[in-house]
Amino acid sequence: MWIRVDDTVEVLTGDDAGTRGKVLRVDRNAGKVVVEHVNRVYKHVRRSQKNPQGGRLSTEMPIQLSNVALVCASCGAASRIGARLLDDGSKERFCKKCGAGNGQISPPKARPVKK
Ligand SMILES: [Zn+2]
């Protein structure tokens, strides 16, 4: 999974299909992401110390990772993401539509020597 916090993603399915937003949280174990302004629900809260008034609170709920696609920084399309090894040994994400790099995954290191 190549989605990270602060990425801009587009929602592909559901009520918010077509919406673009920033990734706020990623849950790698559950395979879910929380996207800004997407899947908003009203949470009913009781009166408490923190929230003396109680009432309804609007918050985002996590959505399935497979229902979002990364928006490419270079071509602006919601596209599938690949990972490739560069010559300096670093790994980067790339857009499968235009081929442009979309951020580093791991820092440069020596490539394993082929026997
Ligand atoms: Zn692209």
Side-chain angles (χ1 to χ4, degrees):
M1 106 171 31
W2 304 123
I3 301 279
R4 289 180 298 204
V5 171
D6 280 346
D7 281 342
T8 302
V9 293
E10 186 172 312
V11 181
L12 305 175
T13 52
D15 294 341
D16 294 306
T19 314
R20 287 181 179 198
K22 209 172 78 175
V23 175
L24 301 176
R25 263 176 292 146
V26 177
D27 185 342
R28 285 172 194 283
N29 294 321
K32 291 189 168 189
V33 285
V34 176
V35 185
E36 206 172 22
H37 305 310
V38 168
N39 201 16
R40 283 196 151 270
V41 293
Y42 284 107
K43 210 170 166 178
H44 299 265
V45 286
R46 286 182 79 89
R47 267 183 267 273
S48 66
Q49 292 270 295
K50 198 180 150 203
N51 197 340
Q53 203 62 54
R56 302 195 312 165
L57 210 70
S58 183
T59 49
E60 286 100 350
M61 290 298 279
I63 56 170
Q64 200 66 37
L65 188 88
S66 60
N67 294 338
V68 301
L70 187 75
V71 173
C72 173
S74 139
C75 69
S79 53
R80 297 177 63 196
I81 293 299
R84 63 187 170 198
L85 206 54
L86 301 182
D87 285 337
D88 64 357
S90 67
K91 218 184 233 183
E92 73 165 8
R93 305 188 296 184
F94 70 99
C95 167
K96 290 205 173 178
K97 275 184 183 156
C98 69
N102 265 286
Q104 203 177 60
I105 298 167
S106 70
K109 59 184 169 200
R111 290 184 93 152
V113 184
K114 278 199 184 117
K115 283 172 193 165

